[in-house]
Amino acid sequence: MNRILALSTLAAGLAVANENTDEAPYLEEVTILGTREQVERTPGAAHVLDAETLSRFAHTDVQRIARQIPGVSIQVEDGFGLRPNVSIRGVATERSGRITLLEDGVLIAPAPYSAPSAYYFPTAGRMAAFEVLKGPAAISQGPYTIGGAFNMVSTPIPIAPAGSLFVETGQYGTHRIHGTYGGSGGGAFGYLLETHQWFSDGYQVIDRSDADTGLDVRDYTVKLAYAPPESAHRVELKVQLAGQSSNQSYLGLVDADFRTDPKRRYGLSALDRITTDHEQVIVRHEFAPSDAWKLTTTAYDNRHARNWFKTEGIDFDGSANAESLSRTSWSSVVQSVNRGTSLGGLSASQLAAVLHGTADTATGSIQLRANDRQYESRGVQFGVSWSGLLGDVPHALRMGVRYHEDEEDRLQRNSSYHQQSGMLRLDDRGRLGNAGNRIQQAEAIAIFIQNRIDIGAWTLTPGLRYEGIDQRRTRYEIRAGRTENPASRSAGNLRSSRANRTEIVLPGIGVLYRANDRTTVLAGVHKGFTAPSNAPDVRPEEALNYELGFRFRGPVAQFEAVAFLSDYDNLLGECTSSSGVDCEVGDAFNGDAVTVRGLELSTALDFAPNAGFAVPLEVVYTYIDGSFDTDIADTDFFGDVQRGDPVPYIPKHQLHATVGIRKEPFSGHLSITYVDTACVRASCGEFETTDESLTLDLAANYQLTDSVALFARVENVADADDIVGRHPYGARPNKARTFSVGFDLAW
């Protein structure tokens, strides 16, 4: 709260510095790309989903939104998109940890350098637009530049007083409210008040339990801005708070159980629950002394706390000791049942009985863990842009510097249980810190410079990015630390420490050629980078990335095709709980050389341009072929890899199509999403693939009056039941068919 007050005072001070209170200009939200028209002039693959596109289905699941963008792959886990696993151009999907996640141009993952797994993801339902940059277009964003950047644009401050209220209710106890109100107040001062509330009982059912499998998400945003029209200065303060609780689990299903009842959850997961709290404060100052120059300064502070209490595995010896970490992951148990093999002295049928709750287990045999972590992420970034002529050649130069520091503080507790008559019974709560007592920290300096040069029909964007990163990890003895006994974190209680430093320079260039008024050709090459972990002897993930494509923009049809190639020197694998493999969390592994090649196609046209109504069609297709170039001896993470084995969780073929009909006051849209099978491990053996899936969503809108619209949507119309993921611990289903209705008020 003190930092919020301090930053509010700073914003107020900057506002008082200029007393001009004439009518304010439109206060645009921070974007990287801007409009679709600006994207067309970008020398590189880039995409914008604007407010009109998002309003067709009014999804709050970012996974359904992101599938509309070519080159994006999703590893589905919970069906709601609470903690999505997003990949761009074949980078690792897990927890979106290999792409640069941004909200309003600011790094938004809880600890982007020291612990990049995105256990917090902004509420998609409150966003005004989504932007994706790929190839050399993403060189201005980092540190994850192989796949690209994913920027979420929050609701802007309106120019005049205006409000909106979206209310939705549906199956499985699902309710959603999104309300905004703001304006300029008739002067240079602008404001926005916003809330997004989302509730559901969930679509899965837990054996022998009356607990739901749903969610409770509450999100609040306040924006204050001061932008006198005759002043060169502009300032904005954003404060955003979000809290979530959801009864989500890592534990999936054995294949035989999935085929019988895919919406089932084992009783072993009845106590699984995650709670999170997120705070974001941003102060942004802009100084534009002339039409040619603009300087921006942004200070940001993100805080995130989470505690995911969930079942981790089983100790077949039944040691009754919560301090013990020698347990077998449920992932191994599920695979043993799938394959009919024994594990830990139990046959496949006996293991299945444990999962089904029909077999009792020894005292202390089942481990549940309170995965309590606190994150801090803060920094300041400066940007300078200049546009003008050098000689007779137009230039647009951009430079940026960011100092960033982040931290992940783990103080986790193992508790031991046993299963009796199908219910979990507590044996030992365990000491705080017995499942992890450590701090990971990172400090980073990032610098980029990029120039746009227009020479006749040609546009060139050479650029350079520098990343200098210091990372360290400190582990303490297994005993209380952060809350119960802070003194236990001392030099005398140090267990181990490690650190590394990474410095890298990343060049790139994009080229755009305007063949005529409708057709442009684009090409680019850049060196991509993924920051390594603090684990010793692990190399950074690096790749040379190439792209070549063209765009066509006609009066009724548009088409874009881009081929890309990522040539990895080293694919990085990092062990996390969500990876679902039996490795030491925090360890990292070198995957050596990998080649990812692909093709991205997108088209949009209107079947009835002169009929008095519109029949729009949009189609996005992605082909990705990623494979290892070398053999890798068996590791806990990658497994036993042979040359030619596929990169996990990247389907070769994906297609998303939306067809609609629009005639005022009615509009209706049908979306079709096809996803090919994908290997979940490089070995791609039996029970290591997802199902081929086809998902249909249907939505309709009716504008009742100028200020009132009615809305209806059906997700997964055919109620398809496919294995869309196998991690962390077993087969996971599509979200069930869900019908919802609502209304939208605007004033």
Side-chain angles (χ1 to χ4, degrees):
M1 183 59 69
N2 289 337
R3 72 184 188 285
I4 294 176
L5 292 175
L7 289 172
S8 300
T9 302
L10 172 62
L14 289 170
V16 171
N18 191 310
E19 297 179 356
N20 190 326
T21 57
D22 292 340
E23 185 177 357
Y26 182 71
L27 299 171
E28 293 183 347
E29 194 45 77
V30 175
T31 63
I32 299 172
L33 295 168
T35 64
R36 288 189 175 188
E37 290 72 23
Q38 291 170 312
V39 169
E40 294 176 16
R41 302 193 297 270
T42 301
H47 302 272
V48 170
L49 299 178
D50 56 21
E52 188 279 326
T53 301
L54 298 175
S55 68
R56 298 173 187 173
F57 290 89
H59 287 308
T60 198
D61 179 356
V62 72
Q63 298 169 138
R64 281 178 148 84
I65 295 169
R67 289 203 188 278
Q68 302 175 63
I69 301 170
V72 173
S73 304
I74 307 290
Q75 174 190 333
V76 176
E77 185 174 328
D78 58 39
F80 293 108
L82 298 174
R83 283 158 292 278
N85 303 285
V86 180
S87 165
I88 301 175
R89 289 188 170 177
V91 301
T93 58
E94 188 191 350
R95 289 287 179 267
S96 308
R98 302 298 172 82
I99 62 176
T100 300
L101 286 176
L102 308 155
E103 181 177 338
D104 297 332
V106 168
L107 293 172
I108 197 60
Y113 284 86
S114 57
S117 294
Y119 284 93
Y120 167 76
F121 205 93
T123 306
R126 66 174 171 84
M127 296 300 166
F130 293 83
E131 303 177 321
V132 171
L133 290 81
K134 297 172 285 188
I139 201 169
S140 63
Q141 312 301 318
Y144 304 98
T145 60
I146 296 176
F150 191 101
N151 183 45
M152 291 154 277
V153 183
S154 65
T155 305
I157 297 175
I159 186 172
S164 67
L165 179 65
F166 179 85
V167 177
E168 177 184 357
T169 186
Q171 288 178 278
Y172 305 109
T174 301
H175 307 285
R176 183 158 68 105
I177 298 173
H178 182 204
T180 69
Y181 188 79
S184 67
F189 173 75
Y191 67 97
L192 176 74
L193 306 176
E194 180 178 29
T195 185
H196 187 283
Q197 313 273 329
W198 182 25
F199 314 98
S200 178
D201 293 335
Y203 58 91
Q204 294 172 293
V205 178
I206 304 174
D207 293 349
R208 303 173 303 282
S209 173
D210 57 2
D212 66 48
T213 58
L215 54 92
D216 182 335
V217 178
R218 302 170 190 265
D219 204 311
Y220 306 91
T221 304
V222 176
K223 292 184 180 181
L224 303 174
Y226 192 70
E230 296 181 5
S231 172
H233 296 272
R234 188 182 120 175
V235 67
E236 180 172 315
L237 167 69
K238 174 186 175 186
V239 178
Q240 192 262 324
L241 308 174
Q244 177 198 131
S245 62
S246 56
N247 296 329
Q248 297 296 312
S249 175
Y250 275 15
L251 184 56
L253 295 172
V254 171
D255 279 38
D257 295 331
F258 184 97
R259 302 307 180 191
T260 301
D261 182 4
K263 304 305 188 294
R264 174 186 185 182
R265 256 181 49 187
Y266 298 132
L268 289 163
S269 69
L271 302 180
D272 291 12
R273 179 181 178 83
I274 181 172
T275 58
T276 71
D277 287 292
H278 181 81
E279 300 177 11
Q280 180 190 65
V281 179
I282 298 176
V283 173
R284 182 177 287 110
H285 175 258
E286 180 183 292
F287 175 57
S290 68
D291 292 339
W293 286 94
K294 181 184 291 186
L295 293 84
T296 60
T297 303
T298 303
Y300 58 92
D301 188 4
N302 295 318
R303 305 281 177 101
H304 184 70
R306 53 151 279 199
N307 193 349
W308 199 337
F309 188 67
K310 63 181 186 294
T311 182
E312 293 282 337
I314 183 168
D315 180 356
F316 294 106
D317 294 334
S319 65
N321 179 8
E323 311 292 306
S324 172
L325 298 178
S326 60
R327 48 88 182 168
T328 299
S329 164
W330 290 118
S331 177
S332 298
V333 174
V334 168
Q335 283 292 67
S336 292
V337 177
N338 279 337
R339 293 168 176 163
T341 58
S342 62
L343 183 69
L346 299 182
S347 67
S349 60
Q350 289 173 316
L351 293 170
V354 171
L355 292 173
H356 296 160
T358 58
D360 294 347
T361 66
T363 300
S365 57
I366 296 177
Q367 182 188 98
L368 276 79
R369 178 176 298 174
N371 291 265
D372 185 4
R373 305 176 196 175
Q374 294 185 8
Y375 301 86
E376 297 182 9
S377 172
R378 66 185 72 86
V380 60
Q381 54 194 43
F382 305 95
V384 179
S385 64
W386 171 84
S387 59
L389 297 176
L390 291 178
D392 295 328
V393 179
H395 289 254
L397 183 66
R398 292 193 304 149
M399 300 176 61
V401 178
R402 179 179 66 216
Y403 171 76
H404 173 93
E405 57 185 32
D406 60 46
E407 174 181 297
E408 180 200 54
D409 184 341
R410 295 191 183 205
L411 191 61
Q412 304 181 161
R413 184 198 306 269
N414 277 339
S415 299
S416 62
Y417 289 71
H418 70 279
Q419 183 170 252
Q420 182 180 0
S421 302
M423 305 300 290
L424 290 174
R425 312 292 183 184
L426 176 65
D427 296 313
D428 183 0
R429 185 166 180 259
R431 291 184 297 170
L432 185 64
N434 66 4
N437 187 358
R438 76 187 196 205
I439 297 175
Q440 298 189 136
Q441 297 169 306
E443 295 180 13
I445 293 286
I447 304 170
F448 85 89
I449 181 170
Q450 193 172 46
N451 190 18
R452 180 187 176 101
I453 309 168
D454 291 304
I455 307 174
W458 295 86
T459 297
L460 309 177
T461 55
L464 200 66
R465 183 175 190 85
Y466 165 82
E467 291 273 355
I469 309 166
D470 287 297
Q471 293 175 289
R472 56 192 175 276
R473 186 186 81 175
T474 305
R475 299 179 70 185
Y476 297 92
E477 292 294 339
I478 300 176
R479 66 182 75 165
R482 189 197 311 137
T483 57
E484 292 188 359
N485 181 12
S488 69
R489 280 184 169 174
S490 62
N493 190 39
L494 183 66
R495 182 180 177 187
S496 65
S497 64
R498 66 190 193 193
N500 67 13
R501 175 167 176 79
T502 303
E503 287 189 283
I504 194 165
V505 177
L506 306 167
I509 185 170
V511 179
L512 188 73
Y513 174 70
R514 290 171 289 279
N516 53 50
D517 291 341
R518 296 183 177 181
T519 306
T520 57
V521 178
L522 62 93
V525 59
H526 79 286
K527 184 177 182 179
F529 168 74
T530 293
S533 73
N534 50 47
D537 302 321
V538 174
R539 307 191 306 271
E541 186 172 83
E542 299 179 36
L544 280 177
N545 304 273
Y546 310 87
E547 67 178 15
L548 176 65
F550 75 94
R551 299 184 180 115
F552 172 81
R553 296 291 182 268
V556 296
Q558 304 173 6
F559 182 77
E560 178 175 300
V562 179
F564 67 89
L565 173 68
S566 297
D567 185 7
Y568 287 77
D569 288 336
N570 181 49
L571 182 73
L572 185 65
E574 185 170 0
C575 183
T576 64
S577 295
S578 58
S579 64
V581 293
D582 288 317
C583 50
E584 178 68 26
V585 172
D587 285 353
F589 304 89
N590 295 313
D592 296 338
V594 169
T595 301
V596 179
R597 55 180 63 85
L599 177 65
E600 302 166 347
L601 304 177
S602 59
T603 186
L605 58 91
D606 186 354
F607 281 118
N610 302 309
F613 58 91
V615 184
L617 172 67
E618 296 180 6
V619 180
V620 169
Y621 169 77
T622 301
Y623 169 81
I624 301 179
D625 181 13
S627 59
F628 289 86
D629 295 339
T630 58
D631 297 343
I632 305 174
D634 189 41
T635 68
D636 290 336
F637 187 86
F638 289 110
D640 191 8
V641 177
Q642 304 296 315
R643 180 178 180 180
D645 282 349
V647 175
Y649 272 113
I650 305 300
K652 280 194 174 183
H653 303 280
Q654 299 178 84
L655 183 141
H656 179 88
T658 301
V659 61
I661 181 168
R662 294 199 301 263
K663 182 174 177 60
E664 296 298 338
F666 172 82
S667 67
H669 293 86
L670 171 69
S671 76
I672 305 167
T673 302
Y674 168 79
V675 180
D676 198 4
T677 61
C679 299
V680 303
R681 294 200 79 190
S683 51
C684 204
E686 189 179 11
F687 307 109
E688 292 183 342
T689 63
T690 62
D691 290 340
E692 182 180 53
S693 68
L694 182 69
T695 305
L696 308 179
D697 292 341
L698 183 65
N701 292 268
Y702 186 83
Q703 194 70 39
L704 193 63
T705 69
D706 289 343
S707 59
V708 180
L710 305 180
F711 170 80
R713 180 184 63 237
V714 184
E715 294 176 319
N716 192 6
V717 174
D719 202 20
D721 287 325
D722 306 309
I723 297 176
V724 293
R726 289 186 178 273
H727 284 88
Y729 310 146
R732 313 186 79 88
N734 318 58
K735 183 181 180 181
R737 178 171 54 214
T738 306
F739 176 74
S740 57
V741 296
F743 62 87
D744 195 356
L745 303 180
W747 65 92

